[in-house]
Amino acid sequence: MTVEPPGRRQRKNAQTRRALADAAQRLFLDKGYDRVSVKEIAEEVDISVPTVFKHVPDGKEALMFDDGVERRESLLAAVRERRAGQSVLAALREFMSGRGPFLADPTPEMRRRTELIVKTPALRDYSRKLWIRCEAPLAEALAAELGREPHDLTARAVARYVLEIPQFVSEEPDPRAALDAIFDLLEFGLHGQTGQESRAALRD
């Protein structure tokens, strides 16, 4: 039996995973998440149902998302590679503002995808799961940037609060305004100066 080199096998796996994600998103948008079966998605890509679960062991809801690696690495890079003088919370606010429901001018396709996730409980729950998987590495990165111990309680709390924001405010009438309100709370405190007030003060 011929064994494929690891590089080629990984590329083929990535191609299959991408094909599954594309087929799932198309079917979910056309029919609704609950009306699409894993078997139907498998048939679209011409593979078996067991092969689908080999690529996405978490199940049907995972097909709308990547494996979370890009999310985690981008999140950590936002903290570690932030601009000189930028606070970690300002960097995280900037990062979050470029994701999903917080985009200022999403493409029509992105808008439809975001609405599908927000309005489908199984997809919303899985999206939250991917965010929460980032909690430990984000907390460690925050602690390091703040000069604290790796398991510092404050860093862990900030990581948890920040990663809950997408789930918490995704159904707000203005998700971006809600995002800013929560980051203002985290950065300035309940009775502190808001980001808007701070920017106004700098202009005066």
Side-chain angles (χ1 to χ4, degrees), residues 2-44:
T2 302
V3 178
E4 294 183 357
R8 183 180 178 188
R9 183 165 62 249
Q10 290 168 359
R11 288 195 300 273
K12 288 184 69 175
N13 287 341
Q15 289 170 358
T16 301
R17 183 69 176 78
R18 181 70 260 166
L20 284 166
D22 290 344
Q25 179 169 306
R26 183 173 62 255
L27 289 168
F28 294 160
L29 288 171
D30 287 347
K31 299 183 176 184
Y33 174 84
D34 292 324
R35 296 184 178 180
V36 178
S37 67
V38 174
K39 183 174 184 294
E40 191 173 357
I41 297 168
E43 289 173 349
E44 283 284 312

Side-chain angles (χ1 to χ4, degrees), residues 55-75:
H55 288 279
V56 280
D58 284 350
K60 188 174 76 168
E61 58 271 29
L63 287 167
M64 279 290 290
F65 305 91
D66 61 23
D67 59 7
V69 172
E70 179 275 333
R71 181 184 310 233
R72 183 187 69 238
E73 294 306 309
S74 297
L75 183 65

